[in-house]
């Protein structure tokens, strides 16, 4: 088993501005070429993770870090969940979907590693306590660039954040700006999404959004960046409520067609939408709309995918949304349960009651929520994958080259890419697995709990839909509907 060292917490000492320092280091990225044996597959080979090696190292019902492996026999694909708790009161972990259970278990274990490493620092000591005003833009990432919570929700019982000012002392970890090729301090609670300690103030709610796992640091960073692009594209379409171009399911993609048939058998019609924005990473929304006759059936489910290969993005989004459709009957509709309509309906008028992922999804499955989702069903022009993304995917002989080109393209769009190495030492040394958190200031961050929504101070939300031709003019923040999102 791999048991990461956990350094003891120390009381951090405030240092005068001239003495501010970091003892934890941020290795620069990229570190070198990463040639790919198959240019169409953006994963390097890693024989150390094959067979039962990962399961043997990670799964232990008593000590973890993965304490439970669970299979779902009636899912859209073979579905395995790998649960990690690490002393938390709530279960969390990874989920794998594949044609076979051994393959889905491997994916679930990979995602569990990613979640475990992204919760809190392992194998590194963070000792920088300072305000942004003391560090300055040359040394640190300005939290205001990340989108701040609405001040109207400060002090709400569901809000874990405090008001941000540049003079507020924060805990920081060292990151690396791929855009500017220099170290950049990142707030610890942005780099890690479950750092314990009531004495460590948070100015934003952060999730595992942007955490990537790979067989190299470059691979992990690229997949973290794809996830940021996916959630940004989803939230930009949702909060701006803009109709999107329809995409025909690829006629030769048997997985996608099979999943569409599974959804149809349950009474749902699958719709694919092109959500690609200024990230220029192919991004797809998959929508399942109920068209059966059961009056209490959940009305709508959504999911998203983003990838260099649009077909991969489609398969990812479709697998998740159809899995959620088929899993819905197993959710509790009893009084007080996650899909109890009487519990959910007050959230239509009081969005601050939306606290959890289940609330976000459940609220938007109600028939009464349908008007909020009508824009997704607009009769927009439809295109094939080939017409929507001509020439995609371009061959990728070297993964580092793709990462470098993607970062450069985002820089031209005014977006910086910052990474934090979250790698757990035991897994890195034993299996060659790397974890990287990707932060893109200005991107729309995925949050849960409506009072934690972060849309203020992000002008892209107001401007990019207009530049893409989705709105007639740039909009003002006060014009946005800003309903609780339905992201699963």
């Amino acid at each position: 088993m791999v048991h990461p060292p956990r350094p003891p917490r120390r009381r951090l000492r405030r240092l005068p501005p001239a003495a501010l320092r970091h003892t934890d280091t941020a290795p620069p990225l990229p570190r070198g070429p990463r040639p790919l044996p198959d240019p169409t597959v953006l994963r390097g080979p890693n024989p150390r993770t094959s067979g039962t090696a990962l399961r043997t190292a990670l799964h232990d019902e008593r000590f973890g870090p993965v304490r439970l492996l669970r299979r779902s026999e009636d899912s859209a694909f073979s579905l395995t969940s790998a649960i990690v708790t690490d002393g938390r009161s709530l279960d969390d972990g990874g989920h794998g979907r594949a044609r076979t259970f051994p393959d889905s278990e491997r994916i679930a274990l990979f995602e569990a590693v990613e979640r475990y490493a992204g919760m809190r620092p392992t194998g590194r000591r963070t000792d920088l306590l300072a305000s942004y005003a003391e560090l300055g833009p040359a040394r640190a990432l300005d939290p205001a660039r990340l989108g701040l919570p609405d001040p109207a929700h400060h002090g709400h019982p569901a809000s874990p954040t405090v008001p941000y000012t540049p003079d507020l002392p924060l805990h920081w970890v060292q990151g690396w700006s791929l855009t500017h090729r220099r170290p950049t301090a990142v707030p610890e609670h942005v780099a890690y999404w479950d750092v314990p300690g009531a004495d460590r103030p948070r100015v934003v709610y952060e999730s595992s959004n942007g955490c990537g796992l790979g067989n190299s640091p470059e691979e992990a960073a690229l997949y973290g960046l794809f996830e940021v692009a996916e959630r940004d594209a989803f939230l930009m379409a949702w909060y701006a409520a803009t109709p999107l171009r329809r995409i025909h399911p690829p006629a030769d993609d048997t997985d996608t067609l099979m999943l569409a048939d599974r959804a149809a058998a349950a009474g749902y019609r699958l719709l694919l939408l092109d959500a690609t924005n200024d990230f220029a990473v192919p991004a797809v929304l998959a929508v399942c709309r109920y068209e059966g006759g059961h009056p209490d059936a959940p009305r709508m489910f959504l999911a998203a995918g983003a990838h260099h290969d649009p077909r991969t993005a489609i398969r990812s989004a479709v697998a998740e949304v159809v899995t959620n459709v088929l899993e819905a009957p197993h959710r509790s509709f009893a009084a007080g349960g996650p899909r109890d309509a009487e519990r959910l309906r007050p959230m239509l008028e009081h969005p601050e009651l939306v606290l959890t992922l289940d609330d976000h999804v459940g609220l938007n499955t109600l028939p009464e929520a349908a008007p909020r989702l009508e824009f997704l069903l607009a009769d927009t022009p439809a295109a094939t994958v080939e017409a929507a993304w001509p020439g995609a995917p371009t061959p990728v002989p070297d993964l580092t080259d793709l990462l470098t080109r993607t970062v450069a393209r985002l820089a031209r769009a005014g977006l910086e890419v910052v990474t934090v190495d979250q790698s757990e030492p035991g897994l890195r040394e034993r299996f060659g697995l790397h974890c990287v958190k990707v932060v893109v200031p200005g991107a729309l961050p995925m949050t849960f709990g409506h009072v934690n929504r972060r849309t203020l101070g992000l002008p892209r939300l107001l401007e990019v839909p207009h530049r893409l031709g989705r709105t007639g003019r740039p909009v003002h923040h006060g014009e946005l509907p800003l309903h609780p999102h339905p992201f699963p």
Side-chain angles (χ1 to χ4, degrees):
M1 283 189 305
V2 177
H3 291 291
R6 179 165 295 176
R9 287 283 180 190
R10 300 183 301 168
R11 183 175 295 279
L12 300 188
R13 181 166 56 94
R14 288 301 305 278
L15 300 173
L20 288 173
R21 59 189 175 88
H22 252 308
T23 59
D24 90 79
T25 59
L29 281 173
R31 301 182 192 175
R34 300 289 177 184
L36 294 171
D38 182 350
T40 64
V41 178
L42 302 184
R43 292 288 190 185
N46 188 346
R48 286 185 282 176
T49 63
S50 61
T52 61
L54 266 182
R55 179 179 185 145
T56 301
L58 297 175
H59 180 232
D60 188 290
E61 293 181 358
R62 298 164 300 167
F63 304 116
V66 174
R67 69 165 183 83
L68 176 65
L69 285 169
R70 181 174 60 221
R71 290 181 173 183
S72 298
E73 302 285 348
D74 55 355
S75 183
F77 271 165
S78 299
L79 174 65
T80 301
S81 300
I83 304 303
V84 177
T85 53
D86 191 38
R88 304 171 74 237
S89 59
L90 297 175
D91 283 348
D92 210 323
H95 305 280
R97 304 172 188 88
R99 288 177 176 266
T100 68
F101 277 114
D103 287 344
S104 71
E105 178 182 289
R106 189 164 180 262
I107 296 168
L109 288 170
F110 281 147
E111 188 168 296
V113 169
E114 176 191 299
R115 292 294 179 91
Y116 184 81
M119 287 181 186
R120 59 200 65 170
T122 57
R124 72 188 300 178
R125 188 186 298 277
T126 59
D127 69 346
L128 181 58
L129 174 63
S131 69
Y132 175 72
E134 291 172 316
L135 293 172
R139 302 180 62 188
L141 177 61
D142 184 355
R145 295 172 59 200
L146 302 173
L148 296 175
D150 191 326
H153 295 138
H154 283 317
H156 189 278
S159 171
T161 62
V162 299
Y164 170 70
T165 69
D167 296 318
L168 176 69
L170 297 173
H171 297 80
W172 304 78
V173 298
Q174 193 71 288
W176 179 262
S177 172
L178 275 72
T179 306
H180 300 303
R181 305 288 302 156
R182 69 187 184 199
T184 300
V186 177
E188 184 186 42
H189 67 281
V190 173
Y192 297 92
W193 54 273
D194 191 42
V195 179
D199 62 332
R200 307 173 91 79
R202 302 166 183 249
V203 298
V204 296
Y205 167 100
E206 189 63 31
S207 68
S208 61
N209 184 44
C211 293
L213 177 76
N215 298 301
S216 68
E218 292 80 6
E219 186 180 303
L222 187 65
Y223 275 86
L225 188 53
F226 287 161
E227 185 169 271
V228 173
E230 170 196 304
R231 275 76 187 282
D232 176 81
F234 183 100
L235 292 174
M236 182 172 286
W238 174 258
Y239 286 133
T242 54
L244 302 174
R245 172 173 58 175
R246 298 188 180 204
I247 301 297
H248 293 298
D252 58 349
D253 188 332
T254 56
D255 282 352
T256 295
L257 297 178
M258 181 272 288
L259 289 167
D261 286 345
R262 291 291 305 273
Y268 290 82
R269 180 168 63 92
L270 175 68
L271 177 67
L272 301 179
L273 302 172
D274 175 15
T276 310
N277 59 19
D278 57 336
F279 268 68
V281 175
V284 175
L285 266 60
V287 181
C288 275
R289 183 188 190 188
Y290 186 66
E291 296 184 343
H294 196 294
D296 297 325
R299 284 324 199 234
M300 195 101 68
F301 291 96
L302 287 85
H307 196 274
H308 176 69
D309 180 353
R311 291 169 178 262
T312 300
I314 288 172
R315 281 193 294 271
S316 175
V318 172
E320 181 159 7
V321 76
V322 177
T323 295
N324 291 337
V325 164
L326 299 182
E327 189 259 357
H330 303 288
R331 308 296 289 172
S332 174
F333 289 81
R339 297 291 161 80
D340 173 18
E342 295 305 313
R343 185 185 74 85
L344 295 169
R345 284 193 183 101
M347 300 177 189
L348 292 163
E349 298 298 327
H350 302 283
E352 69 278 3
L353 297 175
V354 175
L355 303 179
T356 67
L357 184 152
D358 268 327
D359 294 342
H360 280 275
V361 174
L363 170 63
N364 288 286
T365 65
L366 294 176
E368 295 91 338
R372 301 178 177 184
L373 294 101
E374 279 300 316
F375 73 92
L376 296 167
L377 308 174
D379 188 18
T380 54
T384 63
V385 171
E386 293 77 14
W389 297 280
T394 56
V396 182
D398 185 277
L399 190 142
T400 296
D401 178 64
L402 175 60
L403 175 62
T404 301
R405 287 188 285 112
T406 303
V407 170
R409 184 176 68 242
L410 292 178
R412 291 193 292 272
L415 293 167
E416 180 184 10
V417 179
V418 177
T419 60
V420 176
D421 186 355
Q422 299 176 326
S423 301
E424 192 279 309
L427 289 163
R428 181 182 60 228
E429 293 159 11
R430 185 170 176 180
F431 293 104
L433 292 175
H434 300 259
C435 298
V436 172
K437 167 80 170 189
V438 175
V439 181
V440 180
L444 287 157
M446 180 56 64
T447 59
F448 295 97
H450 190 65
V451 300
N452 299 315
R453 187 194 73 239
R454 291 158 55 189
T455 53
L456 291 175
L458 301 177
R460 289 179 57 257
L461 173 59
L462 311 177
E463 299 165 0
V464 170
H466 173 62
R467 294 207 303 266
L468 296 174
R470 297 176 185 172
T471 62
R473 59 172 176 80
V475 297
H476 302 290
H477 191 271
E479 298 176 292
L480 300 175
L482 297 179
H483 297 304
H485 67 74
F487 194 85

